[in-house]
Amino acid sequence: MLPAGEPKFRRRKADRPGEILAAALAVFAERGFAAARLDEIAARAGVSKGALYLYFETKEEIFRAVVGQMIAPNMLAIRAMVAAHPGPLPDLLRAAGARIAALVDVAPLGAVAKMVIGEARNFPELARVWHDELVVHALGALTDAVAAAQARGEVRPGDPRTFAIQLVGPILMGVMWRETFVPVGAEPFDLPAVAHQHVETMIRGMAA
Amino acid sequence: MLPAGEPKFRRRKADRPGEILAAALAVFAERGFAAARLDEIAARAGVSKGALYLYFETKEEIFRAVVGQMIAPNMLAIRAMVAAHPGPLPDLLRAAGARIAALVDVAPLGAVAKMVIGEARNFPELARVWHDELVVHALGALTDAVAAAQARGEVRPGDPRTFAIQLVGPILMGVMWRETFVPVGAEPFDLPAVAHQHVETMIRGMAA
DNA sequence: TCGTAATAACTGACCGGTCAGTTATTAGTG
DNA sequence: CACTAATAACTGACCGGTCAGTTATTACGA
């Protein structure tokens, strides 16, 4: 009756949290917070639902952990990128554009961004963390770089924070396009190509 | 016990659907589809929950109606705008930028857009309608205008559809910013100002 | 007084969270 | 090394609350 060699489960305390979060990321990204079922997360993690509660208190805490996971590594990447290009703004923009497009093109960063946007109303404190710890810094770094370039006379007058939005907007649009309309048959965009063309356009458009 | 003159309800078959959809739009925009309660929609429409089912079959149908409602009038606005500016691209862009920013700045269009994005995975056919009947035409019109300007030698080479995304992206970003981060304490953007600066930047950046 | 808009009480499915019991693993004993 | 006791990871049936959708009944208008 009972399968001889095959044990019913294994005890792998150290690995579970990571596996659960990976499964949760996938399910949350597919269904959104409310429609995500803990049973499905558990099944994909190869675990029973009860086991989830050995590692996390509530569904919300799992969600928080998934989102929080994305923050630290990306902050490091941003800081490194800005630090690596203290010179003329076009250098920074070309490097950053390519890097960010590549990042967002494969990583689950785009899916998480969409979740944060989608669930912001029901989890304001989550939007706050994402904003305070990632978005503000990223946009701030870009704003500072633009302002510095203006001070150097490289960039024409204009609100630097607005220039930052102008720079980032199309990437966000591309991600939302991919997450929203491509699954429904829309023509996809080549994100790195969009980033490249946009950076070149912005460099010309911002020139003093 | 029963209030003398005040009738408990009135029969207003003709007005109900509109009132229900207005209430539903508000609640869906505030909470998202899953977290929206039919009891709350009914209460805001000044009606009992059962009454909703006299006019709509399911919660989904109400949602569909709310989203569908946004399509026709905006399509007309887009067609009119493009038709009004057959000449040089900058004229069209300046007019369209101001108009769209104003539209999105007050109308519930932004809220609905966010809902479509947020619920796309759970209601693919809704994303499809929104895409096929609104987004494709809007982006297509913009793409055609850019391509025409390229043919006239006004605009430098580059993928016209990508130029269209570049043009629209920052507006979408501004809307998402308002809907996601401003309620959480983020510094808001002046959308019309962003649109203006972006249009001017893009005009320079796209020039042949 | 008849037809129906509208209500309000009701139902049943669903799902987050719990917990008593099961099983893999480790530590202890001779 | 074998056997067993002790531990803790893990399971899965279950419970209670919630809420979309239904229905028996009421009240308005003609």
Side-chain angles (χ1 to χ4, degrees):
Chain A
M1 206 82 257
L2 284 171
E6 302 292 302
K8 203 164 167 189
F9 59 87
R10 271 170 212 290
R11 306 173 57 175
R12 299 184 13 259
K13 185 174 182 171
D15 300 334
R16 294 299 191 206
E19 294 172 359
I20 291 170
L21 289 183
L25 169 60
V27 177
F28 282 136
E30 264 175 48
R31 310 226 191 278
F33 179 82
R37 303 291 150 233
L38 290 184
D39 283 306
E40 187 174 356
I41 293 176
R44 290 211 207 175
V47 145
S48 72
K49 188 166 67 164
L52 300 183
Y53 286 88
L54 297 173
Y55 300 99
F56 301 94
E57 295 275 335
T58 62
K59 185 183 183 183
E60 287 196 26
E61 199 202 311
I62 297 177
F63 188 58
R64 264 188 281 273
V66 166
V67 173
Q69 207 177 209
M70 297 277 111
I71 291 179
N74 286 295
M75 265 315 299
L76 291 177
I78 289 166
R79 275 192 220 289
M81 214 152 50
V82 173
H85 294 274
L89 189 62
D91 293 356
L92 170 60
L93 295 186
R94 289 195 176 99
R99 184 107 170 65
I100 291 175
L103 211 68
V104 150
D105 208 25
V106 289
L109 194 60
V112 172
K114 196 195 162 210
M115 282 165 41
V116 170
I117 290 174
E119 307 289 350
R121 284 259 172 42
N122 302 105
F123 299 92
E125 124 279 359
L126 203 70
R128 184 174 294 118
V129 170
W130 188 259
H131 171 262
D132 292 353
E133 301 193 2
L134 185 62
V135 181
V136 161
H137 296 293
L139 216 63
L142 206 48
T143 304
D144 292 346
V146 170
Q150 282 177 321
R152 275 182 261 122
E154 286 177 29
V155 168
R156 70 180 174 89
D159 176 33
R161 190 156 164 269
T162 297
F163 277 128
I165 276 219
Q166 297 178 238
L167 285 161
V168 176
I171 298 288
L172 180 71
M173 170 118 186
V175 171
M176 292 298 136
W177 187 272
R178 182 188 64 200
E179 301 285 325
T180 306
F181 294 129
V182 171
V184 134
E187 188 77 12
F189 282 95
D190 177 351
L191 265 180
V194 169
H196 178 259
Q197 180 169 319
H198 185 56
V199 164
E200 295 306 322
T201 308
M202 288 297 294
I203 288 171
R204 290 167 181 238
M206 294 168 73
Chain B
M1 211 74 263
L2 283 171
E6 303 292 303
K8 209 161 167 190
F9 55 83
R10 277 170 207 287
R11 317 178 146 221
R12 300 182 11 262
K13 185 173 182 175
D15 300 334
R16 294 298 192 207
E19 294 172 359
I20 290 170
L21 288 184
L25 168 59
V27 176
F28 281 136
E30 263 174 47
R31 311 225 190 280
F33 178 81
R37 302 290 149 234
L38 289 185
D39 284 306
E40 186 174 356
I41 293 175
R44 289 211 207 176
V47 145
S48 72
K49 186 167 70 164
L52 301 182
Y53 284 88
L54 298 173
Y55 300 99
F56 300 94
E57 296 276 334
T58 64
K59 185 184 182 182
E60 288 196 26
E61 199 201 312
I62 297 177
F63 188 58
R64 265 188 281 273
V66 166
V67 173
Q69 209 178 207
M70 296 277 113
I71 291 179
N74 286 295
M75 265 314 299
L76 291 177
I78 289 165
R79 275 192 220 289
M81 214 151 51
V82 173
H85 295 275
L89 189 64
D91 293 357
L92 170 60
L93 295 186
R94 289 197 175 96
R99 183 109 171 62
I100 291 175
L103 210 70
V104 150
D105 208 25
V106 289
L109 194 59
V112 172
K114 196 194 161 211
M115 281 165 41
V116 170
I117 290 173
E119 308 289 349
R121 284 262 170 41
N122 302 106
F123 300 93
E125 123 280 0
L126 203 70
R128 185 175 292 119
V129 171
W130 188 260
H131 171 262
D132 292 352
E133 300 193 4
L134 184 61
V135 181
V136 159
H137 296 294
L139 216 64
L142 205 48
T143 304
D144 292 345
V146 170
Q150 282 178 321
R152 275 182 261 119
E154 287 177 29
V155 168
R156 71 180 173 88
D159 177 34
R161 188 153 165 270
T162 297
F163 277 129
I165 276 219
Q166 297 177 239
L167 285 161
V168 177
I171 298 288
L172 179 72
M173 169 117 187
V175 171
M176 293 299 136
W177 187 273
R178 183 188 65 200
E179 302 284 326
T180 306
F181 295 128
V182 171
V184 135
E187 187 78 11
F189 282 95
D190 177 351
L191 264 181
V194 169
H196 178 259
Q197 179 169 319
H198 185 56
V199 164
E200 295 306 322
T201 308
M202 287 298 294
I203 288 171
R204 289 168 180 237
M206 294 168 72

